[in-house]
Amino acid sequence: MLSTGALRAHLLAARLAGPVATSRETSLRSYRLFAARDPRVLLGLAPERAWGEGELLRLMADRCGVSGDPAHVSGPDAIDPDRTMAALDAFAERLALVAERRAPVLLGTGHPHRLLGFYAGLADALSAAGCPVLTPAQGRCVDITTRFGVRPYRLDYVRGVALVREPGGRPTGGETGAHTHSPLPVRLALQDAAERLGVLPELVIGDHGWVCGAGQLGIEAIGPADTDDPALFVGEAEGRVSVVVPLDDGVRAPFYRPLTRYVLNRACLSQ
């Protein structure tokens, strides 16, 4: 089993925690947009109350370990690795509980180029433990607003993990899917699961709109989030998201493999 000390060292070496690539300017901009209820950063969450910029900064300092000093406005942002470790342990506890019940799960990502392998490892282990890994609405189209306007995407699954692809042409061997923050894919998947399959997941595992969109609909949801993703941490603070793991969600894909091994070992799901 990967020790806590070894994983903590990996988090810092890979810049998953500690000083991260996400800039302070980017994080503060997200907090301003969230305070203004900009849907681009709400990620499908409808906050129960108003969140000012200062309150968001204090929340992110508490949950992530970013600087709580409003005068700190530039340079790299930072994540406390001990907060990441504690959240990974809580994440593993949720996996263990759902595996014990052999409950249905849904996994999806808006970061397929980075996080697909992380989620696929979880999907494999949960399936082996007897959890139905749902793949609803496969091949269905969903219109997502982008900076280029509204564009159609197609919901697809790779190793049990949902993602969206731009339509047209068959996927090539190196293609993993499109980056998105939208909650529309998870809404489509949950609607199809209820109407066609007659079952809803007891747990949604993912990021961005997959977590916030599911949590807003009352489905338990867990996943990682960066310092510029305040919506997930607000959802956790308001009780609609169960666990958020603070980490940089944009490092190279292989750097997430030790996290998969760690949480599966902690959840007693290693194969």
Side-chain angles (χ1 to χ4, degrees):
M1 177 178 176
L2 189 67
S3 70
T4 56
L7 182 61
R8 189 181 189 280
H10 171 73
L11 292 173
L12 293 171
R15 296 190 67 186
L16 287 157
V20 293
T22 307
S23 71
R24 181 70 165 183
E25 296 92 332
T26 299
S27 296
L28 292 177
R29 178 178 180 272
S30 291
Y31 307 160
R32 287 194 297 272
L33 292 174
F34 189 95
R37 300 211 168 203
D38 190 310
R40 292 174 295 176
V41 295
L42 291 178
L43 310 182
L45 188 76
E48 294 177 348
R49 60 181 180 82
W51 286 80
E53 292 179 46
E55 193 174 13
L56 285 167
L57 181 58
R58 290 190 293 274
L59 174 72
M60 297 302 287
D62 177 64
R63 301 297 171 102
C64 292
V66 304
S67 171
D69 182 2
H72 179 196
V73 296
S74 63
D77 225 327
I79 294 173
D80 178 3
D82 293 324
R83 286 174 170 83
T84 305
M85 294 294 302
L88 285 171
D89 289 344
F91 186 100
E93 289 177 8
R94 305 314 301 165
L95 294 182
L97 286 173
V98 77
E100 182 180 356
R101 296 195 302 270
R102 296 184 179 180
V105 296
L106 174 67
L107 298 94
T109 181
H111 266 300
H113 294 85
R114 307 298 184 185
L115 290 165
L116 178 60
F118 171 71
Y119 297 120
L122 303 182
D124 289 344
L126 289 168
S127 178
C131 293
V133 176
L134 305 180
T135 57
Q138 183 161 14
R140 296 273 300 276
C141 287
V142 56
D143 292 332
I144 297 176
T145 301
T146 73
R147 58 181 175 173
F148 306 108
V150 177
R151 301 182 65 173
Y153 289 84
R154 177 171 51 85
L155 187 62
D156 201 0
Y157 289 83
V158 176
R159 292 179 58 192
V161 182
L163 49 83
V164 295
R165 301 186 192 275
E166 294 192 45
R170 297 181 63 83
T172 61
E175 181 187 359
T176 54
H179 175 240
T180 182
H181 288 198
S182 175
L184 297 180
V186 74
R187 292 175 186 169
L188 175 64
L190 291 173
Q191 180 181 15
D192 187 63
E195 294 178 355
R196 185 177 59 85
L197 303 180
V199 62
L200 283 171
E202 287 196 16
L203 182 67
V204 171
I205 304 166
D207 47 64
H208 290 163
W210 286 91
V211 170
C212 289
Q216 183 64 36
L217 294 174
I219 306 294
E220 184 177 10
I222 62 176
D226 209 331
T227 60
D228 61 344
D229 291 327
L232 283 85
F233 296 97
V234 169
E236 185 181 42
E238 292 188 344
R240 275 166 292 165
V241 175
S242 289
V243 178
V244 184
V245 181
L247 53 77
D248 189 320
D249 60 11
V251 305
R252 292 176 52 207
F255 290 151
Y256 297 100
R257 291 174 187 160
L259 278 65
T260 305
R261 294 198 300 271
Y262 179 82
V263 297
L264 291 180
N265 273 305
R266 297 286 290 186
C268 299
L269 291 172
S270 296
Q271 299 179 44

